[in-house]
Amino acid sequence: MKIVLIAPEKLPLPGNGSVEICILGIAHELARRHQVTIISRAVKGLPALEQIRHITIQRISASSVSGYTGAAIRLIRTLDADIIQVDNRPHSMTTIKQAFPQIPVVLYLHSLTFAQPGPRKLTMLKKADCIAVNSQSLKRRLYRRFPAVKEKMNVVPLGTDLDRFRPVASSEERLRLRQRFAITERFTVLYAGRVIPGKGVDVLIRAVALLQPQVSVQLVISGKGPPRYVRSLRKLTQKHNVHATFLGQVNHEQIDQLYRCVDCLVCPSQNHEAFGLVNVEAMASGIPVIASDNGGIREIIQSGRNGYLISKYKQPQQFTSFLYHLATKPDLVQSMGKNGRETASVQFSWARTALYLEAVYTRLIRP
């Protein structure tokens, strides 16, 4: 098949854009058996045409979303595509489908951000030949908003790079990485993701504050956010005397090394998470995950086996309780980490995601 994937932003990653991470991971697997072209926004200093591991990346300069979509359409006309996939942009997908009515077009939704309720959005979604969603939770929510597109929806779970995201190989590697990231305490708790309201970082800080009188603990916060909000979190750590390290943005190319030198990941999201890629990356890296029991997260974490799901995630106490449980039982950290790695290996690889998509593509091309 000749597959064209249209990224909403820039490739390779300028930071930690989860949609772009997914596009690259999936494309590398699809390119083992198919001809794959990714269309991306232009990146300063990178060529308009680049070949990366059998994937062709074509970068377009555009000053607006409509300009980018129009330029993508002109480019697709030169590619003789069998299938087109547009990630997370229903409006662009609609315009592209109108330009290529004979080519199957897949809309891959990673969240509800670009699928707000309303008749105009429903009209757009109906244009897709298939709507791929990354979790059963996202499918249910999308169905409640747009019952008319139920038959178009297919769940295609995300994955991760199991070679790069792996358990730490030795105590020497762990020590070297801990020194690199300025980790000093015995028990280390990681938050990785956007540092914005709604992600629950403030709840996690309070949870660690409750834990500190009982356990020597360091909180590591990786990610960027609005400067004013990050300053407020720094003040909160000072107020509660929490030993916290704010790393800022750690590029995705290095984030796997950070997972390998901490003891657990906490994902304290306060709002619906369609999937939660960081949870899968952490599990593949062999560390337990403590996460809010909401959305697609509960399709990843098996509470008590590879991590814990927190039902009362608006308050810090349950987070503290399970953090204490892990901090005082190193054997449990090891066994849960091993179970998480097994879960990721079986259920959440990019190879498996690519197989799901291949099945969708094949049905569309050969109905």
Side-chain angles (χ1 to χ4, degrees):
M1 279 184 276
K2 295 179 181 178
I3 303 167
V4 176
L5 307 177
I6 302 177
E9 298 298 337
K10 302 173 181 178
L11 290 169
L13 304 171
N16 284 8
S18 61
V19 175
E20 284 68 39
I21 291 168
C22 297
I23 291 171
L24 274 178
I26 293 166
H28 287 317
E29 291 298 327
L30 290 173
R32 295 177 186 273
R33 296 172 293 279
H34 308 284
Q35 183 178 317
V36 179
T37 300
I38 300 177
I39 298 176
S40 156
R41 284 180 175 269
V43 179
K44 186 177 180 180
L46 292 180
L49 178 63
E50 186 176 12
Q51 202 79 22
I52 300 178
R53 285 170 56 186
H54 307 295
I55 300 168
T56 300
I57 298 181
Q58 299 219 20
R59 300 186 177 93
I60 298 170
S61 296
S63 58
S64 66
V65 173
S66 61
Y68 176 52
T69 304
I73 288 171
R74 291 190 293 274
L75 179 55
I76 294 169
R77 288 198 175 106
T78 70
L79 298 178
D80 188 29
D82 294 312
I83 194 121
I84 301 168
Q85 178 177 305
V86 180
D87 281 58
N88 244 21
R89 296 295 187 269
H91 188 275
S92 295
M93 177 277 300
T94 301
T95 305
I96 289 166
K97 181 60 186 178
Q98 288 171 342
F100 302 99
Q102 303 305 316
I103 301 176
V105 176
V106 176
L107 173 66
Y108 198 156
L109 286 176
H110 298 256
S111 70
L112 289 171
T113 303
F114 296 94
Q116 297 304 312
R120 184 167 176 266
K121 194 66 70 175
L122 174 59
T123 300
M124 291 181 187
L125 295 177
K126 283 182 174 180
K127 298 292 185 183
D129 293 285
C130 171
I131 301 171
V133 292
N134 57 24
S135 67
Q136 293 289 345
S137 177
L138 182 55
K139 181 180 179 179
R140 286 191 295 270
R141 291 203 168 207
L142 191 66
Y143 169 68
R144 287 199 292 269
R145 289 186 182 183
F146 307 103
V149 299
K150 179 182 179 181
E151 299 306 316
K152 291 180 179 283
M153 288 191 280
N154 285 261
V155 177
V156 180
L158 300 176
T160 193
D161 183 339
L162 295 172
D163 293 326
R164 192 159 70 85
F165 291 91
R166 57 168 178 80
V168 67
S170 64
S171 56
E172 289 78 15
E173 181 189 17
R174 180 180 170 88
L175 178 60
R176 174 174 57 81
L177 292 174
R178 286 173 77 91
Q179 290 172 342
R180 175 182 174 183
F181 290 107
I183 294 173
T184 58
E185 298 295 348
R186 183 182 64 82
F187 188 75
T188 309
V189 178
L190 173 65
Y191 170 84
R194 291 180 297 160
V195 184
I196 57 174
K199 289 295 185 179
V201 183
D202 56 325
V203 177
L204 177 56
I205 290 170
R206 292 185 174 92
V208 173
L210 293 174
L211 180 66
Q212 275 190 156
Q214 308 167 77
V215 174
S216 177
V217 58
Q218 180 175 355
L219 173 61
V220 177
I221 298 171
S222 168
K224 66 179 181 179
R228 184 175 180 180
Y229 181 66
V230 174
R231 284 196 298 271
S232 73
L233 293 178
R234 288 182 179 274
K235 289 179 181 178
L236 187 62
T237 62
Q238 293 165 3
K239 175 183 176 181
H240 292 289
N241 199 31
V242 169
H243 182 184
T245 301
F246 287 78
L247 294 177
Q249 184 76 54
V250 176
N251 284 340
H252 195 257
E253 289 78 5
Q254 283 83 46
I255 196 73
D256 58 299
Q257 299 173 36
L258 181 57
Y259 288 124
R260 287 200 291 278
C261 65
V262 301
D263 295 291
C264 70
L265 173 88
V266 179
C267 179
S269 295
Q270 302 296 289
N271 303 320
H272 178 264
E273 290 280 355
F275 187 81
L277 195 62
V278 294
N279 302 306
V280 172
E281 292 175 345
M283 287 164 53
S285 302
I287 61 174
V289 177
I290 300 175
S292 300
D293 186 9
N294 75 34
I297 295 174
R298 61 172 64 99
E299 298 170 36
I300 299 170
I301 306 301
Q302 300 164 16
S303 199
R305 185 176 184 275
N306 52 30
Y308 295 108
L309 290 171
I310 305 298
S311 57
K312 297 180 179 178
Y313 51 80
K314 301 290 184 184
Q315 291 85 37
Q317 287 81 5
Q318 275 194 349
F319 287 103
T320 302
S321 176
F322 285 116
L323 283 169
Y324 178 79
H325 203 52
L326 291 177
T328 56
K329 297 181 178 179
D331 289 346
L332 182 63
V333 173
Q334 291 288 325
S335 63
M336 278 196 162
K338 182 180 178 182
N339 290 341
R341 173 67 186 184
E342 289 175 357
T343 302
S345 298
V346 173
Q347 298 183 28
F348 300 111
S349 66
W350 288 131
R352 195 165 185 260
T353 304
L355 287 175
Y356 273 97
L357 279 174
E358 280 179 316
V360 169
Y361 297 162
T362 301
R363 286 198 303 270
L364 293 174
I365 293 171
R366 304 168 193 159

